[in-house]
């Protein structure tokens, strides 16, 4: 293999590493953040549920690419306006990678929140009543009765969203994060070859295959809840 192609493979493995960092950090923040959003959506307080609904509508109703651009450029533009208007003299600029994680985490937490809400609301009210009769506190009812069933029910939907996240990591290139697809496009231009894009496709396929198999394994582990 020629040195140019060895260099290409090395660069693409490095880009794949960045994509995996974006993927895992997004899950790390989005999965727990989705729970309070889901409870805000289900809240009996009309103001709280209304604000949450508007937030969800905005995030789910606008393109992720646009959100990435707003999160990256927005704070800097706002601070520039403050400086021009009030002479604040503040300087601020997001690191590209941090901005990507923030935007993806907010976006995916909203989708996960709706999945959580669907799972929680699918539990029959009779189970809450039975738990109360048995002397369970609301906290015990949620963690020992409701949550195990919710996890089982939301696994397929969560699997679909996580697979989508693997592919959506490519969008962070719009703000200049050197992930897998951006590296592949650069190498494709440098080598005048289709191979970098083909290899990037293989990388994404393998990552999604691993995620799909992991969720199949989780579903099998939770079969005893049937």
């Amino acid at each position: 293999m020629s040195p140019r192609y060895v260099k290409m493979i090395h660069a693409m493995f490095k880009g794949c590493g960045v994509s995996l960092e974006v993927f895992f950090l997004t899950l790390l923040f989005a999965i727990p953040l989705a729970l309070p959003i889901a409870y805000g959506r289900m809240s009996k307080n009309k103001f709280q549920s209304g604000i949450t609904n508007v937030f969800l509508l905005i995030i789910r109703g606008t393109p992720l690419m646009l959100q990435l651009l707003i999160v990256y450029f927005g704070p800097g533009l706002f601070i520039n306006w403050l400086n021009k208007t009030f002479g604040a003299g503040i300087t601020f600029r997001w690191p590209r990678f941090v901005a990507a994680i923030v935007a993806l985490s907010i976006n995916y937490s909203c989708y996960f929140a709706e999945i959580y809400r669907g799972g929680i609301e699918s539990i029959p009210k009779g189970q809450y009543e039975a738990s109360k009769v048995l002397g369970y506190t609301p906290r015990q009812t949620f963690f020992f009765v409701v949550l195990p069933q919710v996890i089982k029910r939301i696994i397929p939907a969560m699997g679909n969203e996580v697979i989508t996240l693997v592919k959506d990591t490519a969008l962070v290139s719009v703000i200049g994060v050197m992930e897998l697809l951006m590296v592949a496009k650069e190498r494709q231009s440098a080598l005048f070859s289709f191979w970098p894009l083909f290899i990037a496709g293989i990388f994404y396929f393998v990552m999604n295959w691993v995620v799909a198999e992991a969720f199949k394994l989780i579903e099998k582990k939770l079969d005893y809840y049937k």
Side-chain angles (χ1 to χ4, degrees):
M1 185 180 291
S2 70
R4 290 193 307 167
Y5 281 93
V6 171
K7 188 176 179 180
M8 176 196 75
I9 295 295
H10 176 75
M12 292 187 70
F13 268 107
K14 189 175 179 179
C16 183
V18 174
S19 294
L20 288 173
E21 283 184 61
V22 172
F23 171 76
F24 284 114
L25 286 172
T26 299
L27 287 182
L28 179 67
F29 293 113
I31 288 175
L33 180 60
L35 192 57
I37 295 174
Y39 273 104
R41 173 78 167 79
M42 296 185 294
S43 174
K44 293 180 181 179
N45 184 312
K46 289 185 178 180
F47 177 77
Q48 184 179 357
S49 63
I51 291 295
T52 307
N53 278 330
V54 170
F55 177 69
L56 287 170
L57 181 62
I58 292 170
I59 297 300
R60 297 170 69 202
T62 55
L64 176 55
M65 186 179 292
L66 176 62
Q67 294 168 26
L68 283 160
L69 291 170
I70 290 173
V71 169
Y72 180 58
F73 292 108
L77 293 173
F78 177 71
I79 288 171
N80 285 339
W81 175 80
L82 287 178
N83 290 337
K84 289 179 181 179
T85 307
F86 303 103
I90 304 170
T91 57
F92 175 84
R93 186 167 185 175
W94 281 104
R96 298 174 192 274
F97 186 82
V98 174
I101 299 302
V102 170
L104 283 169
S105 297
I106 292 172
N107 181 277
Y108 272 85
S109 65
C110 291
Y111 285 95
F112 290 158
E114 284 297 279
I115 294 172
Y116 291 175
R117 182 182 65 85
I120 293 169
E121 291 183 346
S122 71
I123 305 300
K125 298 295 183 184
Q127 298 205 24
Y128 293 92
E129 295 168 359
S131 299
K132 189 175 181 180
V133 169
L134 292 170
Y136 282 26
T137 65
R139 183 184 179 86
Q140 289 173 326
T141 298
F142 178 76
F143 283 103
F144 299 121
V145 178
V146 176
L147 187 59
Q149 297 178 75
V150 169
I151 291 172
K152 167 62 179 173
R153 296 181 185 203
I154 68 174
I155 287 298
M158 288 291 287
N160 287 336
E161 287 299 323
V162 173
I163 287 172
T164 301
L165 173 58
V166 172
K167 294 177 284 187
D168 279 351
T169 57
L171 293 177
V172 301
S173 62
V174 75
I175 58 173
V177 177
M178 289 292 293
E179 48 70 57
L180 176 60
L181 187 59
M182 188 173 184
V183 172
K185 288 191 290 186
E186 284 193 350
R187 294 297 166 179
Q188 184 263 336
S189 299
L191 296 172
F192 298 100
S193 170
F194 179 74
W195 280 109
L197 296 178
F198 179 76
I199 294 169
I202 293 173
F203 272 101
Y204 283 114
F205 174 80
V206 170
M207 287 188 285
N208 276 322
W209 176 77
V210 171
V211 170
E213 290 300 312
F215 273 89
K216 282 182 185 178
L217 182 62
I218 293 170
E219 285 191 65
K220 287 181 181 179
K221 292 289 184 181
L222 295 175
D223 275 349
Y224 57 83
Y225 286 125
K226 286 182 178 180

